[in-house]
Amino acid sequence: MSQNIADSPFLSTQDLAALLKTTTNAVHILRHRGRGPQGFRRGRNVLYRREAVEAWLKAQEANDRLGQRAAA
């Protein structure tokens, strides 16, 4: 991500895929199934608020029972 993107309060689908270390198609599938972070359309693009992504990641971490059990 470039410096301008790092300062932005929004992430594009490509930025989110890079953050999650996955493909843009996987992000599209998460969104389509309603399992990804909340985003919104801006023209042809989907943008995700950085706060929404961080909250979604925390919720994913909290719901990972195996990960919690391993950390205990």
Side-chain angles (χ1 to χ4, degrees), residues 11 19 37 49-61:
L11 296 171
L19 178 70
R49 288 191 184 276
R50 218 173 265 279
E51 303 123 20
V53 171
E54 290 171 7
W56 177 77
L57 286 170
K58 285 180 184 175
Q60 296 299 304
E61 185 178 0

Side-chain angles (χ1 to χ4, degrees), residues 14-63:
Q14 293 81 8
D15 297 334
L16 182 58
L19 178 70
L20 298 176
K21 295 183 177 24
T22 190
T23 64
T24 56
N25 192 46
V27 174
H28 289 298
I29 291 169
L30 284 172
R31 178 173 165 78
H32 177 73
R33 293 182 179 169
R35 295 185 159 186
Q38 184 179 5
F40 61 95
R41 292 196 63 89
R42 174 80 171 129
R44 290 184 172 206
N45 301 315
V46 177
L47 296 176
Y48 300 89
R49 288 191 184 276
R50 218 173 265 279
E51 303 123 20
V53 171
E54 290 171 7
W56 177 77
L57 286 170
K58 285 180 184 175
Q60 296 299 304
E61 185 178 0
N63 290 329

Side-chain angles (χ1 to χ4, degrees), residues 1-17:
M1 287 187 265
S2 72
Q3 187 61 24
N4 286 343
I5 293 171
D7 294 340
S8 174
F10 302 105
L11 296 171
S12 68
T13 301
Q14 293 81 8
D15 297 334
L16 182 58

